[in-house]
Amino acid sequence: MLKMPNCERPKSRNHPVNQGHCRVFWTNISPIIATALCLYTTSATSAQQLPTLTIPSPTLTSQTPKVPIPKVLASGNQISLNGRILPGAWLQRPGSGDRLTTHLSDGALRQLIGVDLLNTNNPARQPVEWFSPSTTPQVLSASLQRGYRYLDITNFTQAAGWQIQANGNILAIATPAAIVKDILQSQQPVGNRIFVDLDRPTPWQVSQELPIKSPPDPDTPTPKPSGPPNREWKITLDGIADPSLIQRYTPLPAAPLPTTPLLNPLKQLLPDPVSPAPTPEPLIKQVEVVNNQTVIRLSVPFGMAPRITTLANPNRLIIDIRPDALVEKNIAWAKGLQWRQQFFNLGTERFPIVWLEINPRAFGLRLKPIRSNLDTLAGTAPLMQTAPKYSAAAAINGGYFNRNNRLPLGAIRQDAQWVSGPILNRGAIAWNDSGQFYFGRLTLEETLIAPNNLRLPILYLNSAYVQSGIARYTPVWGPAYTPLTDNEIILTIQKGQVINQLTGGKAGQTSLPIPQDGYLLTLRGNAVNAAAQLPIGTALSITSTTAPNDFSRYPNIIGAGPLLVKNRQIVLDAKDEKFSDAFIAEKAIRSGICTNTTGNLMIAAVHNRAGGPGPTLAEHAQLMKLLGCVDALNLDGGSSTSLYLGGQLIDRSPSTAARVHNGIGIFLEQK
């Protein structure tokens, strides 16, 4: 977390290195797919062997009674791929005649198998390529259900020779055994290229690994860093590599450090020898076979990423390590929802942007704030977990939060109820179910009114932002409140009357219940003096409004900041929104939300520039304007940046995305 078009028809690409044609299965500057391999457990069943299942899959035969057939015969959210249990949504439906059709979410097909989704302007027809022998891509029918876009893979799997069987929540897939014949590396004009030759097409996955920081060795001097560290990537194929390949790419054991000889007094007068330049880390760090899979570990320089291509005749995986690994896409994912990604030029810099364009007026499409925990305001989770919990088709991370106590630091309003109040007059977006939006800098003005015309400002509502003054905590906060600072004076208000008043004591120690028909008032700093004016039995009321008042007309609000664009003009003023100088100057991955000239909403992730770090806030504002934004807001970014679509993160590897507190979900009517 940072602190603070119309589609063209798919066109073939001729690969310059070999005969045949290929399609790019892309991984972003920060990786797009990255299957959740860290979540799987290895089955005792060997790969490429279909396990014996205790529950038969639904089948249709001529003897099947002629009764109404349900639209979905079986479904689940786990896939056994050659014996390994992996997350992935699937379902089975009746086909023509007695045929049973199998449908896999497009995210699972990309993440687990390596199938490339090509450009399309028809949400019901998805062209794909995977080791395709011709320039004509295979087209799979697509349908939406409960936030996923399912592709009919029945013919695809038959052509590939897969075996499929359903077992309760698990769809077992067994693919023919494959052999990794060779792995070669070559230097290219831009970056490096790795060829992985196979005897047949086979599933493959790519992920970016988090760096493992080893404790320093006290006996070994720490070398001075020469630049940003390399990133480790892992390419995993369902196939066994030849032992000679394993040996070729097995790292040699480290040579022992030379012992220090006795010092010669004369040598002490000589200057120290110049240390040799460090040897560049090899691109291919290791090749190994684990559980009948070949794992290729790469050490990729900062600012570069893999772009992976499949090729037929010969069957080959081509891994290009490039500073511009993003491949442009334009996919009509659903009615009113377009998935796009491309590079934008800002001066001499090129920034990759992945975004979803949403028509909020499309029938059956709506937006809602989502958060990781519905029981209390404390909590964080990966957006990959939160979005499916709500059955959201798409989502982006939202506002800021305290990573230590996992509490919100900004505005959240849902269905006309304040979940958490805004802070520091920071930027926010508001919307209604009619497809109308409002952007601005937001303040919530609540006033506590007591007898004798006593009026006291309430500065914070259900917020982890702690300052001197009066704060209010409602049942949305949770069943109880634990003091965030020492020596708070806490008043319990029930049915509009003060029923209790006490000192909170040491921060974090005593929990006080929040009445379901009331709230707590917390007095901090100089505000504790107001406690004497609010004795038990005092009748209280509250007035509430927003500044500007336009925000009051909208039932849903997410606050973050800073505000970037207003009425097509850049209005960035991070200082005014109380962001630090370091935050303002930082170059980092960014999330943004905006509206364009057609009134559509766009949620976007801007990742590292080609060959370098992400944008500054000023660059982010310019990029949002280039994207066509009329009004735009910066959301929480850095490791929090997460753009979710149909069971997958489309902008980065899930392993590199942090847990977040809240987000904005896109919901499609269920068919």
Side-chain angles (χ1 to χ4, degrees):
M1 181 185 72
L2 284 181
K3 293 218 185 260
M4 316 257 59
N6 292 329
C7 299
E8 296 181 0
R9 297 182 60 185
K11 298 177 182 178
S12 64
R13 290 191 182 96
N14 296 327
H15 204 287
V17 300
N18 213 326
Q19 299 177 2
H21 301 273
C22 62
R23 291 280 178 179
V24 173
F25 180 88
W26 69 276
T27 57
N28 196 2
I29 294 297
S30 294
I32 293 299
I33 48 176
T35 177
L37 291 173
C38 57
L39 300 178
Y40 78 76
T41 56
T42 304
S43 168
T45 307
S46 61
Q48 282 79 38
Q49 178 182 352
L50 190 65
T52 302
L53 302 175
T54 57
I55 301 176
S57 62
T59 56
L60 300 175
T61 67
S62 57
Q63 288 75 37
T64 301
K66 294 186 178 181
V67 295
I69 299 175
K71 190 173 183 180
V72 174
L73 299 176
S75 64
N77 57 16
Q78 288 187 310
I79 294 170
S80 171
L81 179 60
N82 295 323
R84 301 179 309 279
I85 305 299
L86 302 165
W90 61 274
L91 55 83
Q92 290 184 323
R93 290 177 173 147
S96 58
D98 297 336
R99 194 181 190 201
L100 184 71
T101 61
T102 300
H103 306 252
L104 202 60
S105 68
D106 59 355
L109 199 60
R110 295 176 67 245
Q111 291 172 343
L112 306 184
I113 310 300
V115 173
D116 187 15
L117 307 182
L118 307 178
N119 293 347
T120 179
N121 57 9
N122 185 352
R125 306 282 290 171
Q126 179 58 62
V128 300
E129 273 201 337
W130 185 71
F131 299 98
S132 300
S134 68
T135 58
T136 304
Q138 187 172 350
V139 179
L140 307 182
S141 63
S143 59
L144 290 169
Q145 182 155 330
R146 293 191 61 80
Y148 294 97
R149 182 172 181 248
Y150 290 94
L151 304 182
D152 186 346
I153 62 169
T154 308
N155 294 335
F156 179 90
T157 59
Q158 289 178 353
W162 297 0
Q163 299 178 53
I164 294 182
Q165 189 171 2
N167 177 19
N169 183 50
I170 299 175
L171 182 72
I173 300 176
T175 66
I179 297 174
V180 179
K181 299 163 58 178
D182 203 358
I183 302 174
L184 300 171
Q185 180 178 342
S186 70
Q187 182 73 36
Q188 298 296 306
V190 178
N192 288 273
R193 176 171 291 170
I194 298 171
F195 303 93
V196 182
D197 288 336
L198 304 160
D199 69 331
R200 64 180 308 132
T202 195
W204 60 271
Q205 305 96 37
V206 59
S207 62
Q208 183 179 355
E209 301 294 285
L210 291 175
I212 300 175
K213 296 181 180 179
S214 302
D217 184 349
D219 297 326
T220 304
T222 303
K224 293 182 179 180
S226 56
N230 286 8
R231 272 54 173 165
E232 181 173 323
W233 293 69
K234 183 171 69 174
I235 316 294
T236 305
L237 302 98
D238 276 59
I240 298 177
D242 186 272
S244 62
L245 292 178
I246 306 298
Q247 184 176 7
R248 185 193 309 170
Y249 294 108
T250 298
L252 297 175
L257 293 174
T259 57
T260 303
L262 294 176
L263 295 177
N264 186 330
L266 293 177
K267 289 186 177 181
Q268 295 184 36
L269 301 177
L270 299 176
D272 293 334
V274 178
S275 300
T279 304
E281 192 170 353
L283 176 59
I284 302 177
K285 292 182 62 177
Q286 186 180 29
V287 176
E288 58 182 341
V289 173
V290 180
N291 298 325
N292 294 318
Q293 289 183 299
T294 296
V295 180
I296 304 171
R297 298 186 183 275
L298 307 178
S299 178
V300 178
F302 175 76
M304 307 187 82
R307 177 191 292 182
I308 301 181
T309 304
T310 59
L311 189 69
N313 300 319
N315 295 302
R316 171 174 280 180
L317 215 66
I318 302 175
I319 307 166
D320 283 309
I321 308 300
R322 302 176 57 92
D324 55 350
L326 181 79
V327 173
E328 296 189 358
K329 283 191 183 294
N330 194 341
I331 295 175
W333 197 84
K335 182 181 178 181
L337 199 163
Q338 198 85 9
W339 166 13
R340 299 199 61 189
Q341 55 193 46
Q342 69 182 67
F343 276 95
F344 282 79
N345 295 328
L346 198 59
T348 59
E349 305 284 2
R350 300 183 68 207
F351 290 90
I353 303 182
V354 183
W355 78 97
L356 300 177
E357 182 169 349
I358 300 130
N359 178 0
R361 300 164 300 282
F363 179 74
L365 192 150
R366 58 194 175 91
L367 289 78
K368 291 292 181 185
I370 58 177
R371 61 182 199 266
S372 59
N373 191 342
L374 286 177
D375 297 326
T376 75
L377 273 193
T380 58
L383 193 65
M384 278 275 291
Q385 294 179 14
T386 301
K389 185 170 65 176
Y390 285 81
S391 296
I396 192 168
N397 63 289
Y400 301 103
F401 58 96
N402 185 306
R403 194 168 291 283
N404 295 323
N405 58 28
R406 303 178 300 154
L407 291 167
L409 291 170
I412 306 173
R413 178 175 163 94
Q414 182 172 353
D415 297 328
Q417 180 188 35
W418 283 106
V419 176
S420 177
I423 63 172
L424 301 171
N425 194 36
R426 286 182 171 173
I429 175 176
W431 70 92
N432 58 27
D433 291 336
S434 300
Q436 297 173 317
F437 298 89
Y438 182 78
F439 290 75
R441 297 184 179 96
L442 169 64
T443 298
L444 177 63
E445 297 177 346
E446 287 197 333
T447 302
L448 186 70
I449 302 175
N452 300 321
N453 201 30
L454 176 64
R455 305 173 73 88
L456 299 171
I458 299 174
L459 301 181
Y460 309 106
L461 173 63
N462 290 339
S463 178
Y465 186 69
V466 178
Q467 295 290 317
S468 178
I470 300 177
R472 187 163 74 98
Y473 296 90
T474 72
V476 178
W477 180 264
Y481 167 78
T482 302
L484 299 176
T485 60
D486 294 344
N487 302 319
E488 297 176 350
I489 301 296
I490 300 171
L491 282 64
T492 302
I493 289 79
Q494 193 169 12
K495 296 181 179 179
Q497 190 173 16
V498 179
I499 66 167
N500 196 13
Q501 186 178 123
L502 51 84
T503 302
K506 190 75 173 173
Q509 291 190 354
T510 305
S511 292
L512 303 169
I514 300 175
Q516 287 299 309
D517 55 353
Y519 53 89
L520 298 183
L521 290 177
T522 298
L523 283 56
R524 305 182 181 115
N526 294 333
V528 298
N529 298 326
Q533 300 173 282
L534 303 170
I536 293 175
T538 303
L540 299 176
S541 62
I542 294 175
T543 63
S544 180
T545 187
T546 62
N549 190 57
D550 300 80
F551 276 106
S552 298
R553 299 186 290 109
Y554 295 88
N556 302 301
I557 295 175
I558 286 288
L563 190 66
L564 301 174
V565 179
K566 185 78 171 174
N567 297 326
R568 300 182 179 86
Q569 300 299 315
I570 293 176
V571 294
L572 174 64
D573 191 346
K575 278 281 194 182
D576 185 59
E577 296 186 30
K578 305 299 187 296
F579 288 98
S580 69
D581 292 339
F583 178 86
I584 295 170
E586 186 176 10
K587 296 179 179 179
I589 296 168
R590 307 279 179 185
S591 299
I593 186 167
C594 78
T595 52
N596 61 17
T597 53
T598 64
N600 287 352
L601 185 77
M602 295 191 287
I603 52 178
V606 184
H607 279 263
N608 291 334
R609 72 193 75 204
T616 63
L617 279 176
E619 289 172 327
H620 192 207
Q622 295 176 68
L623 289 167
M624 290 299 97
K625 189 175 178 182
L626 284 176
L627 192 62
C629 296
V630 174
D631 299 307
L633 175 72
N634 181 68
L635 300 172
D636 190 9
S639 61
S640 290
T641 292
S642 306
L643 188 56
Y644 170 91
L645 180 65
Q648 59 188 317
L649 291 189
I650 60 173
D651 71 305
R652 71 188 309 160
S653 164
S655 63
T656 68
R659 302 168 69 91
V660 296
H661 182 275
N662 60 80
I664 299 172
I666 314 298
F667 298 85
L668 304 177
E669 181 178 279
Q670 304 304 318
K671 302 296 184 181

